[in-house]
Amino acid sequence: QGKRGGDKMGRAQARARCGKKGKPMPVDQSVYPAKELCSRCGFCNTSLIAQVQDACAFLGAGMARIDQLEHTVHGRPRQEEELYFGVQDGLRPIQVAPEARTGRRAWTGVVTSIACEMLRSKAVDAVLCVSSTVDKPLEPKPILARSVEEVLQTGGVKPMLSPNLLPLEELWQVRGEDIQRLLFIGVGCQVQALRSVEADLGLKELYVLGTNCVDNPRNAEALHRFLQSASETPETATGFEFMQDNRIHVKHSDGRYERIPVFSLKEPQNCTGVIAKSCYSCFDYVNALTDLTVGYMGVPWQGGRMTEHQQYCVVRNERGQKMLRLSQSVLELGQAEELQVDGRLSRQQLLPEVLRPELDLAFGQRKPRPEPPRWLAELLSEVFTWLGPQGLDFARASIDRATLRNLVCLEVDLLKKRAGQQMELDATLPKHAKKIRSQYQELFETLLETYRG
Ligand code: FAD
Ligand code: SF4
Ligand code: SF4
C-alpha cells in the first residue's frame, strides 16, 4: 500500500515538473504537425506535444535552432574549425576492446557498451534506447532499459524512422520517481526535440549519446524495397551499412556477409521514395546536440567486417568526457591524427558526379539502366576507394553530399510543402549548412537550374 502511495506521489511530482502539457497523439496517427516532413520522432505521442512548434526540427525555424541550442547545451557556439563535426573537446578513433565485445552490435558496439557502463556505475537509472523484436530485428522499438541485459538486446542499427521520444511518456506516467537520471540514445532530429524541452523533463540529470544519421528509410515497406534492390536474400538481412569501401555490407541471420558494390544495385530506380522526406530536409548528420556522438565515416577504411572495424567519436562537453571515463575499461581510444589521411582526388572534384544520381533519385527521375557486369562494378568500387577521400575527409565528403542534395531538394520542392508555411529557406538553416553551400555556390546554382527545369 505504502509503495503504491509513494508511486502516486512520484508520478504527480514528475508530471508537475514537466512544463506545458497537451494530449498525446495516438501512435497510429497518420498526419502529424510537420506533415510529410515529420520524422515520426515520438515527441507528438507524448504530452510534450503542447511545445511542438518550438521543439520540432521541421516546424518554424526548424534546424536553424541548432545554432542557439549548441550554445545552450555546450556553453559556446560552434567555431570556424568545427564547421563539419560541431562543438567538440576532441575527436578520436574508438572501438570496444575485442574481449569486451558483445553479441548484438552494429560496429564494435561502442554505443551499447557505454550505455551498459553508465548503468553499471549507477551514473544513470535508465537508458532510453532502441530495441526490436526477435522476428523483426530491423524494426525499431524504443524502450526504457533498466538493466545491462536489456541494453545489450538493443545493439545494432534499426534503419528506419524511430519514435525514440515515445518512452518519455512512460517515464512520467509510471516511473517518475525511480528514474531521475537518464541516458538518451538517438539521432539528430530526436535529440533536437529533446534538447528543446530539456528544462521541462523533470530530470535531475540527462546524458545524451548519439550516432551520426542520414537517409533513413521511412518505414518497413521502404526498407524492404531497398533491401530487395541490394541483397540476394533480403529476407534474412539483420543489418547493413554503406561502407567506406564504396560497397553496401549486408549482415545476415545465418552469419553470412554480402558486399555489394554501390554501382551494382538492382533496379536502383525502384528506390525512389525509400528515404523519408524528413531526411531530405535534415542538416544534422553529426548529431550536434549530443554530449558524445559515435559514427564510422571518419575512420579510414581498414578492410574486414563492420563488426570488427574501428569507429570514431566526437566528445562535445564534460558529460561526454564523463561517459568515456566511466567506460574506459571496455574501450580502446586512438589518436586524432590517425583519422587524418589524404585522398588522391579531392572531395570537391568528386561531388558533382555523386550528386546527380542522388538528385535524380530524390526527384523520381532515375532512369532504368542496364546493370554493369559485377566485375566492372567491383573494379569501380576499388578505384573510387583508392582515389577518393579517406578518413575525416570521407566524412566531410558525406556531409557535403547530404547538405547540398538537401538544399537543392528544399529549394526546388519540399519547402513549398513545409507544413503549409512559406518560409524563406535561409530562415530554417543552421549556419553550418549555409557555410557549406557558400563553398559550392556555383555547383548549387547549376543544380538548381537543372532540377527546377
Ligand atoms: P551499437 O552498440 O550497436 O548501438 C546502436 C544504438 O543505436 C542502439 O543503442 C540503439 O539505441 C540506437 N539505434 C538503433 N537504431 C536507431 C534508430 N533508427 N534511431 C535512433 N537510434 C537507433 N554513422 C556514420 O558514420 N555515417 C552514417 O551515414 C550513418 N548513418 C546512420 C543511419 C542511421 C539510421 C543510424 C541509426 C545510424 C547511422 N550511423 C552512421 C551510425 C552507425 O551506423 C552506428 O550506429 C554507430 O557507429 C554506432 O555503432 P555501435 O556498434 O557503437 O552501435
Ligand atoms: Fe512531432 Fe516529431 Fe513529427 Fe515534429 S518530427 S511533427 S515533433 S513527431
Ligand atoms: Fe532524423 Fe535526420 Fe536521421 Fe532523418 S537523417 S532520421 S531527419 S536525424
Side-chain angles (χ1 to χ4, degrees):
Q1 186 62 37
K3 168 106 178 52
R4 289 179 59 187
D7 282 347
K8 263 192 197 156
M9 181 70 79
R11 282 204 293 276
Q13 281 169 353
R15 292 173 82 175
R17 281 199 304 260
C18 155
K20 266 199 294 175
K21 292 183 287 288
K23 186 166 181 279
M25 286 181 155
V27 278
D28 58 357
Q29 178 82 19
S30 54
V31 181
Y32 281 80
K35 303 198 173 140
E36 70 265 51
L37 296 193
C38 172
S39 68
R40 298 291 197 268
C41 76
F43 188 91
C44 293
N45 309 114
T46 73
S47 37
L48 292 167
I49 188 174
Q51 301 179 65
V52 67
Q53 293 295 335
D54 299 322
C56 176
F58 308 101
L59 285 175
M63 290 200 171
R65 294 193 205 101
I66 290 175
D67 297 334
Q68 180 52 45
L69 283 167
E70 275 185 329
H71 207 150
T72 310
V73 171
H74 308 308
R76 66 174 177 85
R78 195 183 287 217
Q79 307 295 309
E80 188 109 8
E81 63 280 11
E82 296 169 334
L83 173 64
Y84 280 90
F85 300 101
V87 174
Q88 57 187 269
D89 285 352
L91 207 149
R92 308 272 298 271
I94 192 169
Q95 62 182 335
V96 176
E99 64 282 5
R101 288 178 193 164
T102 55
R104 284 186 73 169
R105 59 187 198 264
W107 289 68
T108 66
V110 169
V111 171
T112 39
S113 299
I114 293 175
C116 289
E117 295 313 309
M118 291 294 281
L119 276 176
R120 281 195 186 107
S121 62
K122 303 204 187 313
V124 293
D125 306 311
V127 179
L128 200 164
C129 48
V130 185
S131 193
S132 57
T133 54
V134 177
D135 54 327
K136 292 180 179 160
L138 293 178
E139 296 191 19
K141 186 171 168 250
I143 58 163
L144 271 177
R146 302 298 305 272
S147 68
V148 165
E149 292 69 33
E150 279 176 288
V151 171
L152 289 176
Q153 290 306 311
T154 70
V157 171
K158 288 74 189 184
M160 215 186 290
L161 296 181
S162 169
N164 272 37
L165 295 154
L166 175 64
L168 287 178
E169 197 60 22
E170 182 191 340
L171 184 96
W172 295 310
Q173 303 293 348
V174 189
R175 292 161 157 189
E177 195 63 353
D178 63 343
I179 301 179
Q180 300 278 343
R181 293 160 311 150
L182 180 72
L183 170 62
F184 179 89
I185 298 176
V187 297
C189 56
Q190 304 156 356
V191 173
Q192 180 175 338
L194 179 80
R195 289 298 199 189
S196 303
V197 295
E198 181 170 353
D200 292 330
L201 294 175
L203 292 166
K204 280 196 184 138
E205 278 183 74
L206 174 68
Y207 294 84
V208 181
L209 170 58
T211 63
N212 293 335
C213 182
V214 75
D215 295 355
N216 224 346
R218 63 192 165 85
N219 56 25
E221 177 278 325
L223 172 65
H224 188 64
R225 204 141 45 85
F226 166 75
L227 283 171
Q228 279 187 320
S229 191
S231 170
E232 291 302 324
T233 54
E235 59 289 350
T236 56
T238 55
F240 68 88
E241 201 61 77
F242 283 80
M243 301 283 280
Q244 299 97 317
D245 65 344
N246 290 294
R247 291 178 173 85
I248 302 159
H249 292 207
V250 187
K251 287 190 262 190
H252 290 278
S253 51
D254 52 13
R256 267 180 312 121
Y257 267 69
E258 277 177 290
R259 292 179 173 83
I260 299 118
V262 289
F263 307 95
S264 70
L265 278 182
K266 288 174 273 171
E267 301 176 348
Q269 72 280 4
N270 287 350
C271 292
T272 297
V274 162
I275 298 172
K277 288 208 170 170
S278 54
C279 308
Y280 279 120
S281 52
C282 178
F283 297 97
D284 194 16
Y285 202 151
V286 299
N287 214 340
L289 300 173
T290 62
D291 300 317
L292 178 65
T293 295
V294 178
Y296 67 88
M297 63 186 176
V299 182
W301 171 237
Q302 297 167 333
R305 294 185 160 195
M306 66 176 116
T307 46
E308 315 301 324
H309 200 288
Q310 207 173 32
Q311 300 161 252
Y312 79 106
C313 67
V314 186
V315 191
R316 304 198 183 281
N317 55 38
E318 175 47 36
R319 287 180 302 276
Q321 296 283 11
K322 184 172 168 186
M323 284 192 248
L324 285 187
R325 255 194 327 273
L326 291 174
S327 313
Q328 63 188 357
S329 62
V330 294
L331 297 177
E332 288 177 357
L333 280 159
Q335 296 306 317
E337 302 76 62
E338 294 165 35
L339 304 174
Q340 309 276 4
V341 182
D342 288 332
R344 288 165 183 83
L345 282 179
S346 73
R347 59 182 203 274
Q348 289 84 356
Q349 284 170 294
L350 287 171
L351 193 61
E353 299 319 308
V354 177
L355 269 174
R356 283 177 206 279
E358 289 244 359
L359 282 161
D360 286 347
L361 188 68
F363 290 111
Q365 295 175 12
R366 190 97 164 228
K367 304 266 175 337
R369 268 187 324 205
E371 206 186 308
R374 182 64 180 248
W375 67 265
L376 181 57
E378 295 281 0
L379 183 68
L380 286 170
S381 285
E382 287 298 312
V383 171
F384 267 78
T385 307
W386 187 74
L387 277 179
Q390 314 261 330
L392 290 184
D393 220 32
F394 179 91
R396 289 188 198 98
S398 306
I399 296 167
D400 282 344
R401 172 194 67 79
T403 305
L404 276 208
R405 183 200 63 190
N406 290 3
L407 285 165
V408 174
C409 285
L410 282 170
E411 190 73 57
V412 172
D413 184 24
L414 287 174
L415 195 67
K416 291 183 211 139
K417 299 174 192 156
R418 189 175 183 128
Q421 301 170 37
Q422 293 290 320
M423 290 202 57
E424 287 296 317
L425 177 58
D426 277 21
T428 70
L429 296 178
K431 283 187 190 145
H432 61 262
K434 288 186 243 180
K435 281 201 187 137
I436 291 175
R437 181 180 59 194
S438 68
Q439 292 176 2
Y440 294 98
Q441 196 62 38
E442 211 181 304
L443 173 62
F444 175 66
E445 279 163 22
T446 311
L447 291 168
L448 269 190
E449 239 169 73
T450 311
Y451 290 94
R452 262 187 185 141

